[in-house]
Amino acid sequence: LERAAAVNKTLFEEFLQKAKVTDEQSTFRAREVRVIMPAQAGSQSFPNTRKVLLMALFAGLGLGVGGALTMEKLKAGFTSPREVEEGLGIPVLASVRKLKKSQLVKDRKKIPVLFYQLHYPLSPFSEAMRTLRSSIHMSDVDQPPKIIHVTSARPGEGKSTIATSLAISAALAGLKVVLVDADLRRASTSRFFKLEQDQGLVDVLIGAKAVDEVLIRFEDLKLMILPAGTKSLTPSDVLGSERMKALISRLRENFDYVVLDTPPVGPVVDPVIVANLADKTIFVIQWGSTPRDLVETSIQRVSTHKRVAGVVLNCVKQNRAKKYGGEYYYAKHYDKYYSA
């Protein structure tokens, strides 16, 4: 009996062990896998790394070049003198670099952009103003322009800064200059010189004051300024009056250089009226920003009898502009000729 019990016990334990193994194997999924060919040492057959890398390189180059060309075609403004001359048919008279805040400091004191020429007469900005004066003179050598009208296509392009800087440059050169603030709607020039409360152009045109009574001289700038004067509800009618024509004639006789600062052409008709009284009109365009269609339309509105002398590219960002070649590319080599 004891031997029979031991045999049965042994059989039972083997049965339990096999049952356990069978239960564990039942949880595994059967995989239909068979070895076709054993792995051999050597180079990989797929993917072809060299071919894939070459395809990726050419695809990247194509996308990069295509994207760059697309961005160039879609950019809004003018970025080089050649683009201006080809698109508008008029020359670029000067390119004015954008001044950084660090440049508008002398002896640890901030200086306004309009007075920059006084502190740095040999700077690129000052040279740009001299270039602008020379270009205006060369626009009509037989009859050098005396009445210079400065405007832009839209607000915020720096036309008042260019107009005032041009007048200061001419005054520092020894010319007898008057700067007329003909922007009767905003009067940026009068506000800068703190003359917005003074009588000026409007008062002369309505007959309330004589021109000699409202002209203000700034000795340090060697410049005469005619502020905008009293606010007018009909600025276009005032500027188109016979008294305005008579005033321009008188200023032409008494001064070597008359600079007229007017509103932008886009929103109002005032600059179109004043353009007919001036010898030449100067258009200020913000570099790489002002839409080309807007500039072209604005110039067409005032381009009667070839009065538009040319364009001033303002706020040129030198680091970005050098990729467009020309004078911008070599501008860094010119810096040694400037003192600031």
PDB file of all heavy atoms in Angstrom, residues 19 76 98 113 120 156 170 204 284 295 298 307:
ATOM      1  N   ALA A  19       0.677  20.236 -16.222  1.00  0.00           N
ATOM      2  CA  ALA A  19      -0.520  21.075 -16.369  1.00  0.00           C
ATOM      3  C   ALA A  19      -0.166  22.557 -16.256  1.00  0.00           C
ATOM      4  O   ALA A  19      -0.692  23.422 -16.970  1.00  0.00           O
ATOM      5  CB  ALA A  19      -1.563  20.669 -15.326  1.00  0.00           C
ATOM      6  N   ALA A  76       6.619  94.029 -49.881  1.00  0.00           N
ATOM      7  CA  ALA A  76       5.752  95.168 -50.181  1.00  0.00           C
ATOM      8  C   ALA A  76       6.494  96.354 -50.776  1.00  0.00           C
ATOM      9  O   ALA A  76       6.032  96.983 -51.719  1.00  0.00           O
ATOM     10  CB  ALA A  76       5.025  95.601 -48.899  1.00  0.00           C
ATOM     11  N   LYS A  98      18.922 104.272 -41.367  1.00  0.00           N
ATOM     12  CA  LYS A  98      18.162 104.356 -40.124  1.00  0.00           C
ATOM     13  C   LYS A  98      19.130 104.543 -38.968  1.00  0.00           C
ATOM     14  O   LYS A  98      20.079 103.777 -38.798  1.00  0.00           O
ATOM     15  CB  LYS A  98      17.345 103.080 -39.916  1.00  0.00           C
ATOM     16  CG  LYS A  98      16.482 103.095 -38.666  1.00  0.00           C
ATOM     17  CD  LYS A  98      15.666 101.820 -38.567  1.00  0.00           C
ATOM     18  CE  LYS A  98      14.804 101.810 -37.306  1.00  0.00           C
ATOM     19  NZ  LYS A  98      13.816 102.911 -37.304  1.00  0.00           N
ATOM     20  N   VAL A 113      16.989 113.795 -33.973  1.00  0.00           N
ATOM     21  CA  VAL A 113      17.475 113.468 -35.319  1.00  0.00           C
ATOM     22  C   VAL A 113      17.686 114.737 -36.134  1.00  0.00           C
ATOM     23  O   VAL A 113      18.644 114.852 -36.912  1.00  0.00           O
ATOM     24  CB  VAL A 113      16.472 112.545 -36.035  1.00  0.00           C
ATOM     25  CG1 VAL A 113      16.928 112.246 -37.460  1.00  0.00           C
ATOM     26  CG2 VAL A 113      16.301 111.251 -35.265  1.00  0.00           C
ATOM     27  N   TYR A 120      27.238 115.951 -35.728  1.00  0.00           N
ATOM     28  CA  TYR A 120      28.049 115.029 -36.531  1.00  0.00           C
ATOM     29  C   TYR A 120      27.990 115.445 -38.005  1.00  0.00           C
ATOM     30  O   TYR A 120      27.288 114.827 -38.811  1.00  0.00           O
ATOM     31  CB  TYR A 120      27.554 113.589 -36.366  1.00  0.00           C
ATOM     32  CG  TYR A 120      27.619 113.074 -34.954  1.00  0.00           C
ATOM     33  CD1 TYR A 120      26.466 112.968 -34.177  1.00  0.00           C
ATOM     34  CD2 TYR A 120      28.839 112.707 -34.384  1.00  0.00           C
ATOM     35  CE1 TYR A 120      26.527 112.495 -32.876  1.00  0.00           C
ATOM     36  CE2 TYR A 120      28.899 112.234 -33.082  1.00  0.00           C
ATOM     37  CZ  TYR A 120      27.743 112.137 -32.333  1.00  0.00           C
ATOM     38  OH  TYR A 120      27.809 111.664 -31.046  1.00  0.00           O
ATOM     39  N   GLY A 156       4.033 108.777 -41.426  1.00  0.00           N
ATOM     40  CA  GLY A 156       5.011 107.984 -40.691  1.00  0.00           C
ATOM     41  C   GLY A 156       6.231 107.562 -41.475  1.00  0.00           C
ATOM     42  O   GLY A 156       6.964 106.680 -41.036  1.00  0.00           O
ATOM     43  N   ALA A 170      21.082 122.914 -46.144  1.00  0.00           N
ATOM     44  CA  ALA A 170      21.273 124.041 -47.054  1.00  0.00           C
ATOM     45  C   ALA A 170      21.683 125.302 -46.290  1.00  0.00           C
ATOM     46  O   ALA A 170      22.529 126.078 -46.752  1.00  0.00           O
ATOM     47  CB  ALA A 170      19.995 124.295 -47.841  1.00  0.00           C
ATOM     48  N   VAL A 204      -1.046 134.426 -42.520  1.00  0.00           N
ATOM     49  CA  VAL A 204      -0.611 135.219 -43.673  1.00  0.00           C
ATOM     50  C   VAL A 204      -1.603 135.068 -44.824  1.00  0.00           C
ATOM     51  O   VAL A 204      -1.968 136.031 -45.491  1.00  0.00           O
ATOM     52  CB  VAL A 204       0.806 134.775 -44.118  1.00  0.00           C
ATOM     53  CG1 VAL A 204       1.198 135.479 -45.415  1.00  0.00           C
ATOM     54  CG2 VAL A 204       1.820 135.081 -43.037  1.00  0.00           C
ATOM     55  N   VAL A 284       9.386 110.959 -50.244  1.00  0.00           N
ATOM     56  CA  VAL A 284      10.074 110.178 -49.212  1.00  0.00           C
ATOM     57  C   VAL A 284       9.389 108.818 -49.106  1.00  0.00           C
ATOM     58  O   VAL A 284       8.173 108.732 -48.928  1.00  0.00           O
ATOM     59  CB  VAL A 284      10.049 110.892 -47.853  1.00  0.00           C
ATOM     60  CG1 VAL A 284      10.736 110.048 -46.783  1.00  0.00           C
ATOM     61  CG2 VAL A 284      10.723 112.256 -47.961  1.00  0.00           C
ATOM     62  N   VAL A 295       2.858 103.980 -53.692  1.00  0.00           N
ATOM     63  CA  VAL A 295       3.852 104.964 -54.122  1.00  0.00           C
ATOM     64  C   VAL A 295       3.606 105.379 -55.573  1.00  0.00           C
ATOM     65  O   VAL A 295       3.620 106.571 -55.910  1.00  0.00           O
ATOM     66  CB  VAL A 295       5.278 104.395 -53.974  1.00  0.00           C
ATOM     67  CG1 VAL A 295       6.297 105.367 -54.544  1.00  0.00           C
ATOM     68  CG2 VAL A 295       5.585 104.108 -52.512  1.00  0.00           C
ATOM     69  N   SER A 298       0.528 107.604 -55.842  1.00  0.00           N
ATOM     70  CA  SER A 298       0.757 108.928 -55.256  1.00  0.00           C
ATOM     71  C   SER A 298       1.625 109.796 -56.164  1.00  0.00           C
ATOM     72  O   SER A 298       1.360 110.991 -56.334  1.00  0.00           O
ATOM     73  CB  SER A 298       1.422 108.778 -53.881  1.00  0.00           C
ATOM     74  OG  SER A 298       0.613 108.017 -53.010  1.00  0.00           O
ATOM     75  N   ARG A 307       7.526 117.504 -62.518  1.00  0.00           N
ATOM     76  CA  ARG A 307       7.876 118.209 -61.277  1.00  0.00           C
ATOM     77  C   ARG A 307       8.528 117.299 -60.232  1.00  0.00           C
ATOM     78  O   ARG A 307       9.191 117.777 -59.328  1.00  0.00           O
ATOM     79  CB  ARG A 307       6.628 118.865 -60.670  1.00  0.00           C
ATOM     80  CG  ARG A 307       6.064 120.006 -61.500  1.00  0.00           C
ATOM     81  CD  ARG A 307       4.884 120.659 -60.795  1.00  0.00           C
ATOM     82  NE  ARG A 307       4.282 121.693 -61.592  1.00  0.00           N
ATOM     83  CZ  ARG A 307       4.686 122.959 -61.601  1.00  0.00           C
ATOM     84  NH1 ARG A 307       5.716 123.322 -60.868  1.00  0.00           N
ATOM     85  NH2 ARG A 307       4.067 123.850 -62.351  1.00  0.00           N
TER      86      ARG A 307
END
